[in-house]
Structure formats: structure tokens, C-alpha cells
Amino acid sequence: MLDRRPRQLSAAEGQLLTDLASVAQDLLHLQAAQAADATLVPKLRARLDGPLQQSFTRLSTLAELNQWAGPADTEEASRYTESRLDEARYLAQTLHWELQAALHQVQKEMVTRPVA
């Protein structure tokens, strides 16, 4: 996360960054695994399309509702911010779990695949 001035992250923001770092690592492993299984990415996309679209829709709705919440220092605005962070964490965790499952499946298939 880049900013022009240093600031303290909340616990939820710090956890979100940790979750996103896990996703980034998984994506790097996925890129390497794709060399062994060209069908990996299309299969993963099919698994992820539904849950990801739902999360993106919720995040978009929360962002729109936040515009009506009034000043940033109100209780209502804080609840919207917390909800957005919760949804973003859910999205990052879902990506991480699905990527891990896909990578595990590739590893399992590599072990059981007969050598040509």
C-alpha cells in the first residue's frame, strides 16, 4: 500500500494486507503450476467466477452506500468501512483457499500421472 505520508494501519487493514500477500504468493505458484497443466486456469476460473462476482457486487454496493453515510467520522461511516474491509478479507481468503485447492490438485495429479 502506497501513501504520501506514513499512517498506522488498523488491525483489519493489516490482516487484509497479509491475506493479499498470501494470494500474491499463490498466484506465483499457480503461474509455475500452469506449465504442468494448461487446463488449470480455465478450471480455476470456473470455480471462482460465482463467488468473486458476488463479492465484487457487495463491495460496489457498500462503496455506493458509503457515499450516503455522511462525514467520515460518523458511526455509520465507520460501519461501512468495517463492512468493506470484512468483504475484502472474505474475497482475499476465498481466492487464497481456491488457489490453494487448485495447486494441491495439480500436485496430486502430478504424483499420480504415469511417466511417459
Side-chain angles (χ1 to χ4, degrees):
M1 182 179 303
L2 298 174
D3 204 341
R4 294 183 187 271
R5 59 186 158 80
R7 67 182 183 96
Q8 289 288 47
L9 296 178
S10 70
E13 290 170 323
Q15 188 58 52
L16 176 58
L17 286 178
T18 299
D19 293 340
L20 290 171
S22 295
V23 170
Q25 287 178 324
D26 293 339
L27 288 170
L28 291 172
H29 293 295
L30 178 67
Q31 186 177 22
Q34 188 178 1
D37 183 357
T39 66
L40 179 62
V41 171
K43 286 190 266 185
L44 182 60
R45 171 171 252 148
R47 284 177 68 165
L48 286 174
D49 274 347
L52 293 183
Q53 188 56 45
Q54 290 172 352
S55 272
F56 289 141
T57 299
R58 283 192 293 267
L59 285 168
S60 177
T61 300
L62 286 167
E64 289 173 19
L65 290 172
N66 189 47
Q67 293 177 351
W68 300 98
D73 60 349
T74 64
E75 180 70 25
E76 190 176 15
S78 294
R79 284 195 306 268
Y80 281 122
T81 298
E82 188 176 320
S83 293
R84 279 195 332 268
L85 284 171
D86 286 346
E87 189 62 36
R89 280 207 61 218
Y90 169 78
L91 180 59
Q93 289 171 348
T94 299
L95 278 169
H96 175 64
W97 293 327
E98 291 296 337
L99 289 167
Q100 285 290 304
L103 290 166
H104 179 72
Q105 184 63 35
V106 167
Q107 291 171 346
K108 192 167 121 179
E109 289 172 5
M110 288 175 67
V111 168
T112 60
R113 186 177 294 160
V115 177

